[in-house]
Amino acid sequence: MSEIALPLFPLNTVLFPGGVLTLRIFEARYLDMVSACLKQDSGFGVCLIRSGAEVGQAADIYEVGTLAKITDWTQREDGLLGITCRGERRFRIRSQALMPNRLLTGDAEMLPDAPEQQVPTRLQMLVALFKELNERTGYLPPDMLQKATQANWLSYRLAELLPVDLSEKQMLLEVDDGLQRLDLIATILGSARNHTAENTEE
């Protein structure tokens, strides 16, 4: 499978395909990156930090991330550049390099998602859970909820919304199949409920 060269943005967040990410840009390396992406109509890779920080020295990152495409930008009142990005395809980094301006880059293999599948009966409770969460938060407009029957789409949106550890979100991102991702979400939720029940009994 062919590889593409990507500028990389290490963050303490996990971006999923179809997700929206807003960022404040102030470091010179990322201002240059955003400028190049806008001029070339290209994207950059968002990767979860394994160790290190978002600013300063280049962080150690997980190899699987998501390609981010800038959809909007604005000059904020605080003088910083604000950008809005949408997650596109997942990728796996095969090699990394640090540029003279400390921008991390990587040669990345784009990862295919499994074909879209309908959410089966045994996982319909996750459809109901997502609709309930969406109603509480106003996360997505109601006209998008028809996609909640699609396994890939639903699994990504639940992974965004659920208050689970970043390491668990990363684990969900690395799963190729939407139904497997939903099964894993159900397992994570079941473990959390059991843990809560045990603490209540104590």
Side-chain angles (χ1 to χ4, degrees):
M1 192 172 291
S2 60
E3 296 181 355
I4 63 171
L6 284 177
L8 301 174
F9 203 144
L11 291 170
N12 286 310
T13 191
V14 178
L15 176 65
F16 292 90
V20 175
L21 178 66
T22 58
L23 295 169
R24 292 185 309 153
I25 308 297
F26 55 91
E27 288 192 81
R29 54 180 166 173
Y30 296 127
L31 288 168
D32 291 344
M33 180 194 76
V34 168
S35 176
C37 286
L38 290 172
K39 287 177 182 176
Q40 301 165 12
D41 191 27
S42 59
F44 60 92
V46 172
C47 297
L48 176 64
I49 293 173
R50 193 193 312 265
S51 64
E54 292 184 346
V55 297
Q57 296 298 316
D60 179 33
I61 57 176
Y62 287 88
E63 289 77 19
V64 174
T66 300
L67 179 66
K69 195 73 177 291
I70 300 170
T71 58
D72 194 17
W73 65 273
T74 184
Q75 197 72 36
R76 294 163 46 96
E77 291 183 1
D78 57 11
L80 302 181
L81 176 66
I83 62 171
T84 301
C85 311
R86 179 167 296 276
E88 297 196 340
R89 296 178 61 189
R90 299 175 307 128
F91 61 80
R92 184 183 303 278
I93 299 168
R94 294 302 185 188
S95 62
Q96 298 180 36
L98 192 62
M99 299 293 101
N101 65 352
R102 295 187 297 111
L103 178 69
L104 192 63
T105 66
D107 288 328
E109 168 195 350
M110 305 310 294
L111 299 175
D113 278 323
E116 192 59 274
Q117 304 172 74
Q118 292 295 301
V119 178
T121 302
R122 63 184 173 82
L123 292 171
Q124 284 298 313
M125 74 286 193
L126 294 180
V127 177
L129 173 63
F130 173 74
K131 290 182 176 179
E132 180 183 341
L133 289 171
N134 194 70
E135 187 174 341
R136 287 184 195 170
T137 61
Y139 187 63
L140 293 174
D143 61 354
M144 292 194 69
L145 296 188
Q146 60 187 2
K147 294 185 178 181
T149 59
Q150 301 171 11
N152 284 335
W153 188 89
L154 177 64
S155 64
Y156 285 141
R157 303 293 75 79
L158 277 173
E160 289 168 352
L161 275 172
L162 291 174
V164 299
D165 292 340
L166 286 174
S167 59
E168 291 178 311
K169 288 181 182 282
Q170 179 67 29
M171 180 171 57
L172 291 168
L173 179 68
E174 294 180 9
V175 175
D176 294 330
D177 182 89
L179 287 180
Q180 291 179 11
R181 194 177 297 112
L182 287 177
D183 280 328
L184 186 52
I185 289 171
T187 299
I188 291 171
L189 290 173
S191 297
R193 279 194 294 266
N194 292 338
H195 182 68
T196 301
E198 287 172 2
N199 287 343
T200 302
E201 289 172 4
E202 291 175 359

